[in-house]
Amino acid sequence: MPVAPGPTLETARLILRPPAPEDLDRWAELMADPVAARYIGGVMARSQTWRAMSAMAGSWALHGFGMFSLIEKDTGLWAGRIGPWRPDGWPGTEIAWSLHPSAWGKGYAVEAATAAIDWAIDQLGWTEIIHCIDPANQPSKAVARRLGSAYLRPGQLPAPFETSPIELWGQTAEAWRARRAQSGGGRA
């Protein structure tokens, strides 16, 4: 099946690639789950999820970046979406994540976000990375902290999410590189 244009990245346990049609079933499961979808726009019907997934693929085609589909190497299962995201009116250059409930608690968000941040800085030239996080989303704040990000300021998303409270977390590319060099992490 076709895959949106863009690179494929690999980590120890994961493949990050642009969206493909076969991702829809698991993506729709994520968006149909009230707990999993509560901080990412809320529950969506499968048809809405198809449009959102197509918008992500379109971002790759039009802008050269978008969130990657996250695939478990061992199982081949779609585990979530993660990576660079900056729709029109967005408050900055974001690395975002949303994982399927079956992928929670495995460390995938940090592993994949590390690869995505490296790629966004090296290939897109991003000088700042942000994460738009709902104030109540403690698991995402924990991921941000593990990535070395800190709370920056309150933020606002464009319509139709302009009334949803968000916090902007993040760091500069310079801080990211320094932290990676200090930890001996190099590039993911």
Side-chain angles (χ1 to χ4, degrees), residues 1-185:
M1 288 205 153
V3 175
T8 296
L9 310 178
E10 290 195 33
T11 69
R13 301 177 296 161
L14 304 166
I15 297 169
L16 289 76
R17 61 149 172 78
E22 67 262 22
D23 302 342
L24 180 59
D25 288 341
R26 298 260 304 164
W27 201 318
E29 287 175 14
L30 167 69
M31 296 311 300
D33 184 308
V35 174
R38 74 178 170 244
Y39 299 127
I40 55 173
V43 170
M44 287 185 186
R46 183 182 174 89
S47 60
Q48 291 172 296
T49 302
W50 180 89
R51 286 190 290 280
M53 188 180 88
S54 295
M56 197 70 64
S59 181
W60 279 103
L62 295 174
H63 304 291
F65 68 88
M67 280 196 243
F68 294 95
S69 279
L70 183 60
I71 310 298
E72 292 178 334
K73 282 184 178 179
D74 289 348
T75 66
L77 287 175
W78 184 91
R81 60 186 191 185
I82 195 160
W85 192 232
R86 188 172 187 182
D88 188 58
W90 216 247
T93 47
E94 181 174 22
I95 297 295
W97 51 84
S98 304
L99 273 63
H100 189 281
S102 68
W104 292 355
K106 297 180 180 182
Y108 289 169
V110 172
E111 184 176 332
T114 297
I117 292 170
D118 281 344
W119 185 81
I121 290 170
D122 292 344
Q123 300 302 313
L124 301 176
W126 286 7
T127 58
E128 180 183 47
I129 301 296
I130 65 163
H131 319 292
C132 300
I133 302 176
D134 184 292
N137 190 342
Q138 297 305 319
S140 276
K141 290 180 186 183
V143 169
R145 283 186 198 98
R146 285 195 298 275
L147 292 167
S149 291
Y151 173 79
L152 301 173
R153 62 192 171 275
Q156 185 175 14
L157 298 178
F161 304 109
E162 70 273 17
T163 61
S164 300
I166 64 156
E167 295 177 353
L168 297 179
W169 287 65
Q171 61 188 299
T172 65
E174 183 179 316
W176 174 258
R177 286 186 180 119
R179 184 173 174 276
R180 296 279 283 144
Q182 184 180 27
S183 69

